[in-house]
Amino acid sequence: MIISIPEIKEQMVFATLYGSRLYGTDGPNSDTDIRGVFLPRREDLLLDKAPRHYNLTDNRDISYLSLHYFLQLLTQGETNCLDMFLSYTNKEAQICTSPIYEELIANKDKLITKSVSKYLGYCKSQALKYSIKGDRINSLERFMEALSEVKNPSSVNLDTLVALDKRFLPDQAMLEHWEPYVKNNKQIGERCRITGTAFGEHFYLVLMDNKERYVMVSGHLFPGPASVTTTIQSIRKCLASYGKRAENAAADNGADYKALSHAVRVCLQAEELLTTGVITFPHPDKNGPELIRNIKFHTTVLSYEEILALIEGQIQKIEEELIPASKLRTGADWDWINNFILEQYK
């Protein structure tokens, strides 16, 4: 099928169908999104007039990035640019190509790194945004109830209370067992898991590299130096946000499932990228697109919490197993990239 695209004064490097039509998860009413990359004109560069992007519409969502800007984002692991770059794996999505694009593909090992923090950031934001697990809510409520029993709460700080009250720290010996606290693929401190409390499995003391102290309950961090009164106020805000998520999930208007389907898709793509160095569109596992499509259109047999557990389990696998084992480079080869761009203007 021949697809026409709006012309611009610059040379196109490549253009592709994007979104669900690239991923193989489109439905009868899916939009047509197009993404592309262009080579800025030499005279525009010299006069500092070269555009970084074009956003066009003709009943379709069309966006073009300059080659320079595109490579900058791609080497940072930007999710949309990775998908655009690797769209060549879906021949039906390709609209136009060029020798420049083909050379980039041949040298993709110099461009793609194991930095998938933006991928994981998106997945985590969706998992947190839509998580309504009862055990998380119960743990926070029990933690707030325990704090509410403290006398003079405005004059007692959280870390002093935890250190002295056995409801929070049943055994001082636990403080001997600290582990790295990792976020976005980077260790930012240490944490010590405290068991035997009423505050759930995920109850930790956290010490950041900058010496800041926190108590973590169900993934929420509460500053150690803060007063008990301030901490109770913070917990109430967390519980209020969970209440809104639960209400939205109960309303079941379909938007939540579409967002969760994107998170599942990105998790699968990140796993393939880290293990093979490429992302295949549609996903090579024949059940991949079907799983994502069923979640998107809410025809899946999986429950809301099972989808969240799938996302959270995949994130943990990526962070703890796949990133350390990946053979992808840690940083892009900018010497090659800069020489490549200069060659296009000689």
Side-chain angles (χ1 to χ4, degrees):
M1 179 176 64
I2 298 175
I3 300 173
S4 63
I5 57 174
E7 291 187 3
I8 57 176
K9 62 183 180 180
E10 292 84 2
Q11 174 188 345
M12 289 299 297
V13 175
F14 74 94
T16 179
L17 288 173
Y18 192 71
S20 61
R21 298 192 187 280
L22 170 64
Y23 308 139
T25 59
D26 53 304
N29 299 317
S30 293
D31 296 331
T32 299
D33 299 337
I34 295 172
R35 298 291 182 269
V37 173
F38 64 89
L39 182 69
R41 299 193 305 174
R42 178 167 48 192
E43 54 268 37
D44 287 340
L45 288 172
L46 293 173
L47 295 172
D48 196 23
K49 294 182 178 180
R52 291 209 304 178
H53 58 82
Y54 286 106
N55 291 318
L56 311 168
T57 56
D58 60 359
N59 297 320
R60 300 173 296 179
D61 180 8
I62 303 171
S63 177
Y64 300 152
L65 301 178
S66 73
L67 178 63
H68 306 64
Y69 188 40
F70 170 73
L71 290 173
Q72 177 186 335
L73 296 176
L74 175 66
T75 54
Q76 294 172 359
E78 205 278 330
T79 308
N80 295 326
C81 288
L82 273 168
D83 291 354
M84 288 169 59
F85 180 54
L86 298 170
S87 63
Y88 70 88
T89 59
N90 185 344
K91 300 300 182 185
E92 294 183 2
Q94 291 274 277
I95 297 173
C96 68
T97 185
S98 71
I100 299 175
Y101 183 41
E102 291 168 4
E103 187 172 353
L104 287 172
I105 293 170
N107 291 276
K108 62 181 180 295
D109 61 304
K110 298 178 176 65
L111 309 173
I112 298 176
T113 73
K114 65 173 66 180
S115 175
V116 293
S117 58
K118 289 183 173 62
Y119 260 54
L120 294 183
Y122 177 84
C123 297
K124 287 179 178 179
S125 68
Q126 296 305 313
L128 179 61
K129 182 178 180 181
Y130 297 112
S131 179
I132 55 172
K133 285 189 173 181
D135 58 343
R136 294 184 178 187
I137 296 173
N138 293 336
S139 295
L140 285 166
E141 287 178 340
R142 287 194 291 266
F143 187 53
M144 185 171 67
E145 288 170 4
L147 294 179
S148 299
E149 297 174 7
V150 176
K151 296 180 180 179
N152 302 319
S154 60
S155 59
V156 179
N157 61 26
L158 182 59
D159 50 9
T160 300
L161 174 67
V162 170
L164 298 177
D165 193 325
K166 289 196 173 183
R167 291 178 301 170
F168 302 94
L169 185 59
D171 188 352
Q172 290 282 339
M174 292 180 186
L175 297 179
E176 299 174 4
H177 305 288
W178 292 79
E179 62 184 31
Y181 179 45
V182 178
K183 191 172 183 179
N184 293 334
N185 311 330
K186 181 181 179 182
Q187 182 175 341
I188 58 175
E190 294 182 309
R191 67 181 185 178
C192 177
R193 183 177 174 186
I194 308 300
T195 58
T197 71
F199 316 124
E201 300 179 20
H202 306 292
F203 183 56
Y204 294 90
L205 301 185
V206 178
L207 178 62
M208 298 294 192
D209 287 341
N210 61 5
K211 307 304 179 185
E212 291 180 353
R213 304 180 304 277
Y214 294 87
V215 174
M216 184 162 64
V217 184
S218 298
H220 297 276
L221 288 169
F222 303 100
S227 70
V228 169
T229 298
T230 300
T231 305
I232 290 173
Q233 292 170 349
S234 298
I235 297 172
R236 284 177 177 154
K237 290 180 181 178
C238 293
L239 290 172
S241 66
Y242 272 114
K244 291 176 183 176
R245 290 172 205 146
E247 184 179 342
N248 290 338
D252 194 20
N253 58 15
D256 291 356
Y257 286 90
K258 182 176 181 180
L260 288 174
S261 75
H262 287 315
V264 171
R265 171 182 58 77
V266 170
C267 279
L268 295 176
Q269 290 176 192
E271 178 176 6
E272 186 186 6
L273 180 68
L274 289 165
T275 53
T276 70
V278 72
I279 300 171
T280 307
F281 300 110
H283 194 273
D285 182 346
K286 65 180 181 180
N287 295 321
E290 183 178 356
L291 169 65
I292 297 164
R293 194 182 298 109
N294 285 339
I295 294 173
K296 177 180 178 179
F297 296 111
H298 197 192
T299 56
T300 179
V301 296
L302 297 176
S303 69
Y304 211 86
E305 291 199 355
E306 286 173 330
I307 298 170
L308 289 168
L310 173 63
I311 296 169
E312 291 169 347
Q314 191 73 7
I315 290 171
Q316 183 176 5
K317 178 182 178 182
I318 290 168
E319 288 186 322
E320 297 180 2
E321 299 177 26
L322 300 182
I323 291 176
S326 177
K327 295 181 180 179
L328 291 174
R329 60 168 60 238
T330 56
D333 187 344
W334 273 101
D335 287 338
W336 184 90
I337 294 170
N338 289 332
N339 286 329
F340 172 78
I341 293 175
L342 290 172
E343 283 295 324
Q344 309 314 312
Y345 292 96
K346 284 187 176 179

